[in-house]
Amino acid sequence: MSSPDCSDCFHSSVTDLNSDLVKRNVTYLLIPLLALLAACLPDPLEVKGIPEVKPQIVVSSQIIPDQSLVVLLTKSFGALDASGDSDPEELLASITLNDALVVVTGPFGSDTLQLLDNGFYGGVTIPFVAGEEYHLFVNSASLGEVTATTMVKPRVSFAEIQADLFLNGYGDTLAQITYELKDPAGPNRYMLNVQEVEREDVVENLLNPRAFTRLVEDTEFDGESFGESFRVFPRDYAPGDTVAVSLSNISEEYYQFMKLRQDNRYSFIEYLSEPVNYPSNIVNGKGYFNLYIPDVRFFVLE
Amino acid sequence: MVVRAVVLLLISLFPGFLLAQAVVLNGIVLDRNGEALVSAHVFISPDSITIPSDSEGRFSAAIKPGQKLVRVSFVGLEDFERKINVNGDTTIQVLLIAKTSQLQEVVITAKKNLQEEVFNSNRTSTYVLSQDDITALPVLGGEADVIKVIQLLPGTVRGVEGSSDLFVRGGAADQNLVLLDEVPIYNTSHMLGFLSVFNPDILSKVEAINGGFPAEYGGRLSSILKVQTRDAIPDQTHMSGDVGIIASRLFIEQPLVKNKASVWLAGRRTYIDQVVKTIGEELPYFFYDLNGKLTFQPSENDRISLSYYSGEDVLNLFRDRNGDGNGFLTRYESGNNSQSLQWQHKLSMRWTSQLSIIRSQYQYNILNAFEENELLALSDIEDIGARWNVQRDSIGGKNGVFKSGMEWTQHRISPNVINTEGTISELLESSSTSRRIAQEFSLHGQYEWSLSNRFRMNTGIRMSMASVSNRTYVNPEPRIFVRYKLTDQQALKFSYSRMVQYLHRIANSAVTSPADIWYPVTETIAPQTSNQVALAWQRSDERHNLFLSLEGYYKSMNHLIGYEEGTNLFLNNDFESRLIQGKGTAYGLEFLLRKESGKLTGWISYTLSWSNRQFDEVNRGEWFPSRYDRRHNGAIVAQYALSKRLAVSAVWEFISGARFTPVIGQYAIFAPTLTGVDLVPIYSGINQVKLANTHRLDVGIKFRSRPDKKFQWHWFAGVYNGYNRANPIGITIEQDEDGTLRYEQPGLFGLLPFISYGFKF
């Protein structure tokens, strides 16, 4: 029987039926799909057979601008002993070496460094001469002996330097560094670092402080003046922030070491990059014996 | 026999008349190895006589004199058809050859007892699969997948769980040439390797050659995977489809001209994105495959086919958390596109020719954009080429078969283009690797013959050449196979092959991805080479339908591609300066026991293998195990037909853990700014640590419609990784709530159920 209302009823009932059918079919399909999407994730498995790391002496050195040499002696440790989230002071306290004899020998004789604090040795003014070789000898009662040799690179300072804030128009405020240097003849490699300087941040970020590092090789401007401008990415800065900008003329070995470290900064998933045993100029140990004198400038960004 | 008896009886009843009128046609049916074919089907017209060949392959029939058409057929072999004039007693020899040029190895077909063909061939490294085996097995997500099944065979190791990478006899994932109707396919997977690009509905035959390579094949060191699509001309329209939880597919074939021309189309698409939309969520990813083929047989001597394939993975994600229109866009598109034209021509009674013209392209682009920042990475490889082979059977009077041919391919490669805009260009500058064009050319010839009743031999040579700017490489690639028949059921086989590879994939040694780049040899990067010998003992038990194979191999490889320590290939256009070349060895023992018919079918495979590498620039120049040096690799594959409509299947797979190089220590040095210390990782020796062993059980059950119905359907349900065991992909360091650190090995897939519905009519 049809009536003006019945045809609408029929239409709506058919529509309802189709709608019910569709919903049922989709539901039948969804059930296994949701089961698939929510499938049990298996528990990870234990790891066996990881070789143990034998602790070795690690050397790290730096000439601070007043020409004093500071050497940090620590020991290598296991991957499970600490991470980037560990308490930095506790970690350093557990790995520093305080039982070592540290001797630096140069063209003017040998100097024995004093233990200043946890693992830090220095306190002696050594006349570092560019182009001369210096030898490091370390003897630790607990970990044995290591040696290293390096040459002092000539100090290269900023001829011009300026640090400003750069607004990109989208709410980012970057630090922009513009500088110029005079490159000595012969192959040279430079490391520029930009680090914001705030007392609390220094303590909190003692481990992996993520300084911005830029590496430059003088193949295109050997013996000439060179200038460029770059922005410190991806950090945001604000007016009033203080930054330390340093320029260092570094050895080829250390340049390759830093380049390798930089190349792996995108290794967001550890097992997707090629593993690397970083090079070292420490014989029987790890780390680097460096003798370069940085030119450090401080700026308050405005 | 009965028919023959009747014929003889009739002759005796009408001796006078018939003896005056009849002549005898005798014959023998052989395969190309010279082996007699028992129970071959012989039909003689217009006399309408049908007789089988006897236990010696012979047949005999009394017929009236005149012109006759003799047709001989045998399962798995090309039909023989010849017109002859019979005016007196005549004897003919019929030689049946394999259905395509040179098959064996892994063949997917609906026919049983194909291991007989493998056993009778004189090449090593041969495995056979049926189409039912592919679709019956409970694989990942329930999608029938050729490559997942091949990974269950001896000699083939898979990579990361779920991946479609093949590591064959110690080789790398880029050392396998995958051909779809003679066209190279550069990316064989969807969904990051979860599924291969091969729609199972279109397959006619798949051959995986792992060793003992015929001279017509080259270009890769470790294997040739030859995927041939359907090319029979149907007599009516057919349609089939499958609806699963990952994807659905549809296949239609349609005759155009009776017995002369036909076309088929097949499509497959995942619809997870559409289904998830119905519940109000978003999953902006899909993939599709589209295949098509036009087959034309203008005469009995010619067959022409035109094939097309297109497939793509698309991810299009836009996230705008604030709803202000400034969102983050991620778009990833990658895909293959290929075409081939093949012409098979019978030149004369014994000569056949096959000409193929091909084009293949693989490209991807990755776009990330946020406000004014944009990062776009592109890569593209395109091949055009041609191949021409000729074959002559029954040459030289010793059942000889001669084959020769030539091949040319031009590779046009844009390895990597990176465009950056906005602030991100401060961190990553735009760069590109220069476009490269490489020409590959080869000539080959081989001859196969019987030295005696027991010895059959094949010797061949392939001369290959690659030309890039300023440098041309020329390499001889000799090939030898020998078969010695111990008994009718047992054979010994030996093979030697030299292979050369002029194209390689720039990929991390741990994991390959669709964003990897293909790169040709250059003035400084030499072609990779390998030399492989294999020795096999095989036994075929026809009565119980069992096939047993035990095979040993040794492979040495040179100029293998590797990377300097610490090389990060992610968005790195400077990879060429980081490439290094070294050596590799691989050796092992492979076992296969297979049953092809009966209620219970399946196989047991086991491989014991070693694979090592050496590069002067890494690991202090010392030898180290390769990443996929997986000592034991075994599988038990079984299907049991409970009834005509119900069957269960199971796969249990065991593989020794892959090798890994974890971080085992660290040390602290001054940060360059002296504001702290950097922690530097210490890695173990390369691939020194073995991941946990992998084992997994998959089960499935299939319920079909009645076999006599025109509309056929089936339900297939089951579970992957039935006991939910992690199959490790690497080693990570995790932190507990109390701050304690520990190593663990995470897996990728746990227990995954599946269900699908299929139909055909």
Side-chain angles (χ1 to χ4, degrees), chain B residues 83-104:
Chain B
K83 282 186 185 154
I84 53 174
N85 279 318
V86 182
N87 297 315
D89 291 349
T90 303
T91 301
I92 61 172
Q93 185 182 82
V94 176
L95 191 68
L96 299 185
I97 61 171
K99 271 207 186 284
T100 58
S101 48
Q102 282 235 6
L103 3 161
Q104 300 104 25

Side-chain angles (χ1 to χ4, degrees), chain A residues 26 29-30 32-33 35-36 39-47 49-51 53 58-62 64 70 72 74 76-80 82-83 85 91-92 95 120 168 170 174 191 193 195 202 205-209 211 213 231 233 257-258 260-261 263-267 270-278 286-287, chain B residues 244-246 271-272 275 278-279 371-372 423-424 426-427 508-511 563-568 570 578 660-684 688-689 692 724-726 728-733 735 741-746 748-753 755:
Chain A
V26 168
L29 198 56
L30 270 179
L33 175 61
L36 172 66
C40 306
L41 281 174
D43 292 330
L45 301 176
E46 272 183 60
V47 176
I50 299 281
V53 172
V58 181
V59 175
S60 195
S61 66
Q62 183 63 58
I64 52 182
V70 175
L72 172 65
T74 57
S76 57
F77 52 98
L80 301 183
S83 72
D85 297 329
L91 172 65
L92 283 175
I95 62 172
F120 288 87
N168 67 0
Y170 290 91
L174 308 175
M191 178 173 67
N193 295 299
Q195 173 71 53
V202 169
N205 297 329
L206 210 57
L207 292 180
N208 294 328
T213 300
R231 295 182 195 129
F233 183 86
F257 171 82
M258 288 303 299
L260 211 50
R261 294 280 295 150
D263 285 347
N264 282 276
R265 68 185 188 274
Y266 295 132
S267 298
E270 167 182 338
Y271 40 79
L272 286 188
S273 63
E274 300 299 307
V276 55
N277 283 303
Y278 289 93
K286 292 208 181 301
Chain B
I245 55 175
I246 300 293
Y271 44 72
I272 284 184
V275 172
T278 63
I279 57 172
E371 295 177 349
E372 93 288 11
T423 312
I424 196 171
E426 305 287 338
L427 188 64
N508 179 273
S509 59
V511 178
Y563 310 96
E564 291 176 349
E565 286 191 8
T567 300
N568 192 333
F570 179 68
R578 309 303 297 272
F660 194 68
T661 313
V663 173
I664 58 172
Q666 42 196 333
Y667 60 90
I669 55 172
F670 279 133
T673 51
L674 298 183
T675 51
V677 294
D678 282 339
L679 294 180
V680 181
I682 301 172
Y683 288 87
S684 71
Q688 186 184 359
V689 175
N724 200 36
R725 178 184 163 89
I729 55 173
I731 294 177
T732 61
I733 295 177
Q735 191 166 24
L741 298 170
R742 58 185 161 77
Y743 288 109
E744 65 178 29
Q745 303 179 69
L748 206 53
F749 299 112
L751 188 149
L752 288 174
I755 187 166

Side-chain angles (χ1 to χ4, degrees), chain B residues 162-183:
Chain B
S163 139
S164 291
D165 285 334
L166 297 172
F167 298 87
V168 178
R169 291 187 169 178
D174 68 339
Q175 292 176 0
N176 310 302
L177 177 64
V178 182
L179 300 171
L180 178 64
D181 283 343
E182 305 293 320
V183 184

Side-chain angles (χ1 to χ4, degrees), chain B residues 430-449:
Chain B
S430 293
S431 62
S432 68
T433 320
S434 52
R435 189 180 183 85
R436 299 223 168 224
I437 295 179
Q439 310 281 351
E440 259 190 74
F441 183 74
S442 69
L443 291 169
H444 66 85
Q446 64 184 33
Y447 182 61
E448 183 178 316
W449 77 103

Side-chain angles (χ1 to χ4, degrees), chain B residues 364-554:
Chain B
Y364 73 78
N365 68 76
I366 303 170
L367 171 68
N368 279 298
F370 177 67
E371 295 177 349
E372 93 288 11
N373 297 290
E374 189 176 284
L375 167 65
L376 176 65
L378 310 163
S379 184
D380 176 276
I381 176 168
E382 184 184 18
D383 284 1
I384 54 172
R387 181 177 300 143
W388 183 51
N389 292 328
V390 291
Q391 177 172 323
R392 176 40 159 114
D393 295 328
S394 298
I395 191 172
K398 293 181 191 284
N399 299 321
V401 178
F402 172 74
K403 280 194 78 170
S404 184
M406 60 179 71
E407 182 178 343
W408 162 74
T409 307
Q410 174 180 272
H411 308 288
R412 294 167 67 90
I413 304 166
S414 292
N416 210 14
V417 175
I418 299 168
N419 288 328
T420 53
E421 287 179 18
T423 312
I424 196 171
S425 60
E426 305 287 338
L427 188 64
L428 184 67
E429 294 171 6
S430 293
S431 62
S432 68
T433 320
S434 52
R435 189 180 183 85
R436 299 223 168 224
I437 295 179
Q439 310 281 351
E440 259 190 74
F441 183 74
S442 69
L443 291 169
H444 66 85
Q446 64 184 33
Y447 182 61
E448 183 178 316
W449 77 103
S450 297
L451 289 166
S452 69
N453 286 340
R454 291 183 178 270
F455 260 114
R456 188 152 177 92
M457 190 152 175
N458 180 321
T459 58
I461 183 80
R462 180 182 177 87
M463 292 298 300
S464 64
M465 180 189 90
S467 178
V468 291
S469 53
N470 301 328
R471 188 75 195 257
T472 298
Y473 295 97
V474 180
N475 282 283
E477 300 178 39
R479 314 282 170 86
I480 299 171
F481 328 117
V482 179
R483 182 181 190 273
Y484 178 73
K485 185 171 86 170
L486 292 165
T487 65
D488 285 345
Q489 288 81 36
Q490 293 183 62
L492 277 178
K493 299 181 184 178
F494 168 82
S495 70
Y496 165 76
S497 306
R498 182 168 192 267
M499 304 290 280
V500 182
Q501 181 164 338
Y502 298 102
L503 204 62
H504 48 264
R505 191 166 67 182
I506 308 297
N508 179 273
S509 59
V511 178
T512 57
S513 81
D516 293 334
I517 304 160
W518 285 91
Y519 205 65
V521 294
T522 67
E523 304 84 23
T524 52
I525 302 171
Q528 302 179 80
T529 62
S530 74
N531 291 281
Q532 185 181 164
V533 292
L535 182 65
W537 171 81
Q538 294 179 347
R539 179 182 166 85
S540 174
D541 184 344
E542 281 182 49
R543 199 155 63 93
H544 299 103
N545 210 268
L546 287 174
F547 175 78
L548 182 62
S549 169
L550 192 62
E551 182 167 334
Y553 68 90
Y554 179 86

